[in-house]
Amino acid sequence: MIKIEHVDKKFHTKGGIVHALKDVSLNIEAGDIYGVIGYSGAGKSTLIRMVNLLEQPDQGHVYINGKDIVNLKDKELNVIRKDIGMVFQQFNLLDSQTVYQNMALPLILLKKDKTFIEERVNELLSFVELSDKKDVYVSQLSGGQKQRIGIARALATHPKILLCDEATSALDPQTTESILLLLKKINQELGVTILLITHEMNVIKKICNKVAVMKSGEIVEQGLTLDVFSHPHQEMTKRFVATVINDTIPSSLVEELDTTYPILKLTFLGENTKEDIISEINQQFDIKTSILFASVNEIKDEILGILTIQIKGEEAQINKAIDYMKDNHVEIERVVLNHD
Ligand SMILES: Nc1ncnc2c1ncn2[C@@H]1O[C@H](COP(=O)(O)OP(=O)(O)OP(=O)(O)O)[C@@H](O)[C@H]1O
Ligand SMILES: [Mg+2]
């Protein structure tokens, strides 16, 4: 649906050349909620602005439904842009106008008649549950309400793609939650493909089925959200994952550990969540297992369980227990403790 191929972008500034995008490729399929995460300055906004060509690449291609939009003439580009809505961190609404006037604007620009506009605005306001705010000035809305209106306005022309540039970054956690639910509803009920950028892993964890991690203009890791969360490869990805998934053994327990016995981190994915595996190995082998840490995490509607245990007993028995767990599709990683 959206294919970004080998896109490169440099900005020439007074302070020198900024290499904002370095050979970036990304494939977003219809129905995805695709999240791009990275720290400030990573190039996220530059990347998302390539998709509707608010920013032109120096090199590379951007395909929308198979059509390369780089070098398209304005007229053709405008046709494509009608299919792409955009939502911003700072809402980009006209504060001194009413909700209705703000939402009518994209439709007036398309020369739609008054009845059509009125109907469409009512429909959208009902979708974002703000019908009662129709004649209120935007300046009188809360941040969350403003973003709902920003999103509703972006949907005015029935776009098939929605681009969200830090749509929740100006909002508190609870309001963020409700906006994320709204984006999910747009994806599921209207079939809109969403590309969103964020610096919060929580946003990715809640709604994205796929994720790409950006660092200094490059995509350093990408994949299905559950895969990336359960098996992060890059240091930066590990740091992002650690902001939402805790797997550290409490320090009070670490102090008392007899480290001659192995400490193991078990990972359970989705259907494989087997709570009784510990009692099974305790029964079948001559070992004693203690649980040092346990967590159950919901990642884009799927479960990732983490269990850190220590097994005490003879080496042969311990190894048999480990093999038994592996045979039962439990992923096992040895934990090395840092004593510093
Ligand atoms: N129009 C521009 N002119 C010059 N430099 C720019 C321009 N737009 C972006 N940059 C630079 O390109 C780099 C990437 O910027 P970008 O806005 O894409 O980052 P970002 O990941 O969106 O950051 P943030 O999380 O702060 O929004 C930065 O170093 C930025 O200063
Ligand atoms: Mg940005």
Side-chain angles (χ1 to χ4, degrees), residues 39-46 48-49 89 165-166 197-199:
Y39 293 123
S40 184
K44 307 181 299 292
S45 293
T46 308
I48 208 165
R49 289 162 63 84
Q89 176 174 356
D165 188 346
E166 304 271 1
I197 61 181
T198 180
H199 59 267

Side-chain angles (χ1 to χ4, degrees), residues 1 30-31 159-161 185-194:
M1 183 141 209
K160 295 182 184 65
I161 296 170
K185 178 167 128 177
I186 289 165
N187 174 255
Q188 287 175 348
E189 291 181 18
L190 309 179
V192 173
T193 302
I194 299 178

Side-chain angles (χ1 to χ4, degrees), residues 9 18-24 37-44 213-220 236:
K9 179 75 183 178
V18 179
H19 203 166
L21 295 178
K22 300 171 187 161
D23 192 26
V24 169
I37 187 160
Y39 293 123
S40 184
K44 307 181 299 292
V213 182
M214 255 190 118
K215 183 186 173 187
S216 314
E218 285 178 277
I219 293 193
V220 293
M236 161 152 309

